[in-house]
Amino acid sequence: MGAAFLDLTVSTCETGPGRTIEDDAALIRKLQEIAGPWHVLTSPDATRRFRTGIRFGSGPVVAVVRPGSLVEQWRVFKTCVAANKVVIMQASNTGVTGGSTPDGDDYDRGVVLINTMRIEGLHLINEGTQVVCLPGSTLFHLEKALDKIGRAPHSVIGSSCIGASVFGGVCNNSGGALIHRGPAFTQLALFARLDEAGDLHLVNHLGIALGDDPETILDKVEKGEFSQADIVNDPSRAASDHDYADHIRDVEASTPSRFNADPRRLFEASGSAGKVMLMAVRLDTFPKEREQVVFYIGSNNSWELEGLRRHILTKFKHLPIEGEYMHRASFDCAEEYGKDTFLVIHYLGTDMIPRLFALQAAFDSLCGRVGFLPHNFSAKILQALSRFFPKHLPKRMTEYRDRYEHHLLLKMGDDGIDEARNYLKANLPSKTGNFFECTADEGDKAFLHRFAAAGAAIRYRAVHEQEVEDIVALDIALRRNDEDWFETLPADIEKSLVHKLYCGHFFCHVFHQDYIVAKGGDCREIEKRMWELLDRRGAEYPAEHNVGHLYHAKPALASHYKALDPCNALNPGIGRTTKCAHWKPMNRASRASEMRCEG
């Protein structure tokens, strides 16, 4: 085919007002006909793990549906639209701001949650330089498939969750830990959406000719039934953020490197947060480094690390692969409360984690029916068992923990290795810092420990629920020119905290900050105060976990949502917007159970 971009929107059927399924019972029967009775869940116990976020968010649903194909997913969506239901799309349910679960019971329509993890698969195209991913594809699956051909994905298993989906990254403009690639982004996608009249359309912007009938298109893309001749490679459409490497090098800019609501990277499915029903995405892949080395850097001076960051970004020819930061308190918390996560991944591999999570969720559901068992029983059992295992961290890492407050893991590849080695040897040790070059085993364990830090706060809260009110979790992007990046909190906030846990993606100044609040503390008020402090610093938040139901969507992001979903039928309420149909404002004076929409 020629180079012109392939733009196909299929108008399928009228599904607007007046063409509805009568009641929930009829809807459930129809959904069972489509997906099978075993994959339509309705009881509170069966739906709990799908309708509850890992950190935040929960609410009732009419049903959780787990379609087994793209055609089933399309039919389920059509059926829900005909029944005038809210639709919430969900993949791995690993988000930390409640963006893929219901939020309370004040929707003006019933909620159907569609979980897409049964629809796995990906297709390598253009000799492996690009990939087409289906809804159930995870970063782990993608990384494993690309490793066989010596290539790597836009992002790797992130700092906050195991099992994260490819779609979750695209829909939230997430990722970006890989310094020279940036967050997940594409202008090439296949998705379904509703227009202003409530009519359903399938939009094929994959740049792949698949026909003009919706179910034929979906069946072909799922099975990979297309040839190279069907693929259009249009240079005006990007499948990754081509400008990010130059963008992050600009350390004098007064704006962050990356954040979810960045208008430069809001495009259709990218940044959509579930406001369209995404069916397939096309993404770039990247050459894999032949050799990688991790340098472990410790310092008692935050300015020393900032000087290193600025020099590497502006003077090095080769950008680092990753640069991950951990504060000593986060190191300590992960060492104790992330130990079982570390050990499972180290000895069993990441592909075991989703299965273990499912077993843990089933165990928690069973325990919930037994009144005398303690809350968070599974977490407490796992924590107790972890104490029987020997120390798991390399000696040189724990020695640096004792000596230094700030820890930086610098991963370099190929020609960048000697560049970093020579620079570090010329500048360290200093009065406040030093480094060592990791063995392969030490490097793997250092990054795995950094990963385990993300879930350690949740485990701490579960084990110490009598002393902890909750966690205030902030996900922030500081300005690229902000040299004073390590915060000092006011005394009135500090006194309410049990722990402050800092880690992040250092070179892009994106930080994950967990504040464990002492029992009786006002988490809402503390969070508001934190936001005020961040606003004064010119920070953007959230940086990569998206607004979910915790944060207010800024104007550009809210406009993006409204343009994609004028009926407000998909994931309404996201970004603390209205949950009402057609974006009518909510009448906050009414009780949740009697919620009304104005107009």
Side-chain angles (χ1 to χ4, degrees):
M1 295 188 67
F5 177 66
L6 182 64
D7 183 349
L8 176 64
T9 300
V10 182
S11 299
T12 62
C13 59
E14 292 187 347
T15 50
R19 299 171 290 275
T20 62
I21 293 173
E22 291 298 322
D23 55 33
D24 288 352
L27 170 63
I28 290 167
R29 286 194 297 273
K30 181 65 176 175
L31 295 175
Q32 289 173 334
E33 290 173 11
I34 297 169
W38 290 105
H39 300 296
V40 180
L41 312 176
T42 56
S43 73
D45 286 338
T47 61
R48 182 177 290 109
R49 72 184 181 96
F50 297 97
R51 57 184 176 82
T52 304
I54 62 169
R55 281 201 183 187
F56 174 85
S58 66
V61 295
V62 175
V64 171
V65 188
R66 303 178 66 237
S69 69
L70 289 180
V71 170
E72 285 186 11
Q73 183 178 330
W74 169 255
R75 291 173 179 171
V76 166
F77 187 29
K78 283 172 53 176
T79 301
C80 292
V81 171
N84 193 32
K85 299 300 181 188
V86 161
V87 172
I88 297 177
M89 299 302 303
Q90 181 188 92
S92 300
N93 191 19
T94 55
V96 298
T97 57
S100 58
T101 56
D103 177 49
D105 59 359
D106 56 345
Y107 294 85
D108 62 337
R109 297 146 288 171
V111 176
V112 174
L113 191 153
I114 302 176
N115 181 282
T116 61
M117 291 306 291
R118 291 180 63 216
I119 313 174
E120 298 182 28
L122 53 88
H123 309 296
L124 299 176
I125 63 173
N126 289 332
E127 299 181 333
T129 62
Q130 290 188 323
V131 62
V132 175
C133 292
L134 302 180
S137 302
T138 66
L139 290 176
F140 172 74
H141 293 142
L142 180 55
E143 188 175 6
K144 197 171 181 180
L146 292 176
D147 186 60
K148 297 175 183 176
I149 60 169
R151 296 189 70 84
H154 64 88
S155 188
V156 293
I157 293 172
S159 64
S160 37
C161 48
I162 286 283
S165 69
V166 173
F167 275 29
V170 171
C171 290
N172 295 306
N173 281 342
S174 297
L178 298 180
I179 295 166
H180 50 297
R181 298 178 200 170
F185 173 77
T186 187
Q187 295 174 316
L188 300 164
L190 174 68
F191 57 92
R193 67 181 296 269
L194 293 171
D195 64 18
E196 293 84 351
D199 292 332
L200 184 58
H201 305 275
L202 184 67
V203 181
N204 181 8
H205 284 174
L206 273 180
I208 302 176
L210 297 163
D212 55 12
D213 170 69
E215 295 198 359
T216 300
I217 291 170
L218 294 169
D219 190 56
K220 280 187 173 183
V221 77
E222 182 170 353
K223 294 176 179 175
E225 292 180 349
F226 49 85
S227 67
Q228 185 63 38
D230 296 319
I231 298 171
V232 175
N233 296 307
D234 182 353
S236 69
R237 291 276 176 143
S240 64
D241 188 345
H242 296 165
D243 303 324
Y244 187 73
D246 293 330
H247 186 69
I248 196 174
R249 283 186 184 272
D250 185 3
V251 298
E252 300 304 331
S254 59
T255 57
S257 298
R258 59 184 177 90
F259 57 101
N260 295 128
D262 188 350
R264 63 191 280 277
R265 286 297 174 256
L266 297 176
F267 187 90
E268 294 181 349
S270 293
S272 62
K275 299 302 287 183
V276 296
M277 176 171 281
L278 192 54
M279 303 288 197
V281 296
R282 179 173 162 186
L283 297 165
D284 288 334
T285 70
F286 301 86
K288 194 168 186 178
E289 294 81 5
R290 298 181 305 277
E291 183 182 5
Q292 297 181 1
V293 170
V294 175
F295 299 94
Y296 199 104
I297 302 161
S299 179
N300 288 317
N301 185 344
S302 64
W303 291 82
E304 182 173 39
L305 291 188
E306 179 59 23
L308 181 148
R309 168 186 172 268
R310 294 173 71 86
H311 180 90
I312 289 176
L313 288 178
T314 58
K315 304 298 184 184
F316 273 28
K317 180 179 179 181
H318 305 283
L319 282 174
I321 299 170
E322 294 180 78
E324 292 297 298
Y325 168 78
M326 288 183 75
H327 185 263
R328 177 189 282 150
S330 187
F331 185 113
D332 289 343
C333 189
E335 184 178 19
E336 183 172 358
Y337 296 95
K339 186 176 182 179
D340 56 320
T341 299
F342 180 106
L343 293 172
V344 167
I345 297 173
H346 181 66
Y347 289 108
L348 302 180
T350 52
D351 51 343
M352 279 297 295
I353 291 290
R355 300 178 209 172
L356 294 177
F357 279 173
L359 285 173
Q360 185 178 357
F363 180 76
D364 286 338
S365 179
L366 179 64
C367 292
R369 301 174 206 168
V370 182
F372 63 85
L373 291 176
H375 192 236
N376 295 315
F377 191 39
S378 66
K380 291 170 181 174
I381 291 175
L382 290 171
Q383 188 59 33
L385 290 173
S386 71
R387 297 193 179 102
F388 289 98
F389 289 90
K391 292 183 178 180
H392 59 292
L393 297 179
K395 183 179 179 182
R396 289 201 287 182
M397 282 177 59
T398 57
E399 288 175 345
Y400 264 49
R401 179 269 313 280
D402 296 337
R403 292 167 58 188
Y404 300 113
E405 180 181 4
H406 306 288
H407 299 247
L408 178 62
L409 317 180
L410 177 65
K411 183 183 288 187
M412 302 296 299
D414 297 339
D415 295 337
I417 295 171
D418 280 339
E419 192 172 18
R421 183 182 289 134
N422 294 335
Y423 172 73
L424 293 173
K425 284 181 177 179
N427 290 274
L428 295 171
S430 67
K431 291 181 180 179
T432 55
N434 204 349
F435 85 100
F436 65 86
E437 185 172 327
C438 295
T439 65
D441 181 65
E442 286 174 327
D444 289 343
K445 288 180 176 177
F447 271 87
L448 183 49
H449 183 58
R450 162 67 182 90
F451 174 84
I458 301 172
R459 173 65 60 78
Y460 184 96
R461 177 182 62 183
V463 173
H464 298 279
E465 59 184 331
Q466 300 303 318
E467 300 92 46
V468 172
E469 185 67 29
D470 207 344
I471 300 170
V472 172
L474 295 181
D475 162 35
I476 69 169
L478 299 181
R479 294 173 288 119
R480 283 170 280 173
N481 65 354
D482 191 347
E483 297 182 68
D484 189 13
W485 56 273
F486 191 70
E487 73 175 5
T488 302
L489 292 175
D492 62 323
I493 295 180
E494 190 86 48
K495 70 181 182 182
S496 299
L497 306 179
V498 177
H499 290 294
K500 299 175 296 180
L501 306 177
Y502 301 113
C503 56
H505 315 300
F506 189 64
F507 286 85
C508 54
H509 265 185
V510 167
F511 294 94
H512 305 299
Q513 304 183 169
D514 285 343
Y515 305 93
I516 301 180
V517 181
K519 202 71 174 178
D522 188 338
C523 295
R524 266 303 174 191
E525 183 58 30
I526 290 171
E527 189 170 41
K528 282 179 60 180
R529 291 286 310 284
M530 296 289 192
W531 291 347
E532 292 167 3
L533 295 172
L534 291 171
D535 289 340
R536 282 187 224 137
R537 298 177 67 185
E540 291 282 354
Y541 52 90
E544 59 184 12
H545 291 154
N546 217 342
V547 289
H549 290 284
L550 280 178
Y551 299 92
H552 290 278
K554 292 191 174 181
L557 190 59
S559 295
H560 184 54
Y561 294 160
K562 290 180 181 179
L564 293 174
D565 182 22
C567 292
N568 203 23
L570 291 109
N571 212 4
I574 203 77
R576 294 196 174 186
T577 58
T578 178
K579 295 177 181 175
C580 299
H582 300 282
W583 299 91
K584 293 176 182 177
M586 294 177 69
N587 181 355
R588 297 292 182 183
S590 60
R591 293 181 300 170
S593 60
E594 299 173 348
M595 196 278 302
R596 299 190 302 273
C597 298
E598 295 176 4

